[in-house]
Amino acid sequence: MDLATPAEDQQKSIGRLTRLMARSLSMVWQSARTPFLALIGLQLLNAIALALQVVAVQLALTAVLAITGSTGDLWRLAQPVLLLAGLTAVTAVIASIQVGLGRYAGELVVAVMWKRVLGVATRVDLRKFESARFYDRLHRVKANALTRPYQITRGLVATTGGAAASVGLLIAIVWV
């Protein structure tokens, strides 16, 4: 971590964005590996559940169209509806777990970032530490850099989950 490099002097580019994402992923990987992997797994599980929900809706609609009025038809209708309800409940539970796990991973990243910020701030000589320029940069780091690595990584995980859900939905729609 370097507090001496002003952000406005750095050229904005795809390469810089790529390096930023790589450093953010590295930091999250170092500080919250298990919760991060669990979040990725939950994203993929959620994508599978979403695809199965599409299939369950198709099965329920087929059962509704096939109703003739006998009680056996009602049981055939209840099965896909119960499947859909179960998948919806699973999706809600996964989302709830993701929120808690995401907060936990975020706190682990913040703890590691605090250690790094404090390490840099305590190694600086007193004259530089008391300068307004260093104070402004340190304040900016405290305000932004503590949570940004996790936010970037969470965005990448969400994008991965969205891509997996899109692929799952595409497969489910083609299958239907």
Side-chain angles (χ1 to χ4, degrees), residues 13 21-22 32 34 67 73 81 83-84 88-89 92 94 100 104 106 108 116-117 120 124 155 158 163 165:
S13 67
M21 288 190 303
T34 303
I67 288 180
D73 287 340
V81 170
L83 176 64
L84 182 59
T88 303
I94 289 172
Y104 175 64
L108 291 175
R116 289 183 179 188
V117 168
V120 170
V124 173

Side-chain angles (χ1 to χ4, degrees), residues 2 14 20 26 38 43 53 106 108 117 129-132 136 169:
D2 184 14
I14 297 296
L20 176 66
S26 172
Q43 283 283 11
Q53 281 179 327
L108 291 175
V117 168
F129 186 81
E130 289 182 346
S131 73
D136 290 343
L169 285 174

Side-chain angles (χ1 to χ4, degrees), residues 20-33 116 153:
L20 176 66
M21 288 190 303
R23 275 191 275 160
S24 296
L25 280 170
S26 172
M27 192 171 302
V28 171
W29 185 257
Q30 291 170 6
S31 57
R33 181 177 299 158
R116 289 183 179 188
T153 305

Side-chain angles (χ1 to χ4, degrees), residues 113-172:
M113 282 301 296
W114 264 116
K115 286 179 186 176
R116 289 183 179 188
V117 168
L118 291 174
V120 170
T122 56
R123 284 192 305 266
V124 173
D125 63 286
L126 188 58
R127 181 175 294 184
K128 191 169 189 175
F129 186 81
E130 289 182 346
S131 73
R133 187 174 178 191
F134 183 81
Y135 173 80
D136 290 343
R137 288 191 180 137
L138 182 62
H139 184 69
R140 186 176 47 209
V141 167
K142 284 176 18 182
N144 295 318
L146 296 176
T147 57
R148 295 290 189 225
Y150 179 71
Q151 288 175 346
I152 290 171
T153 305
R154 182 71 181 124
L156 289 172
V157 169
T159 302
T160 303
S166 297
V167 169
L169 285 174
L170 181 65
I171 291 170

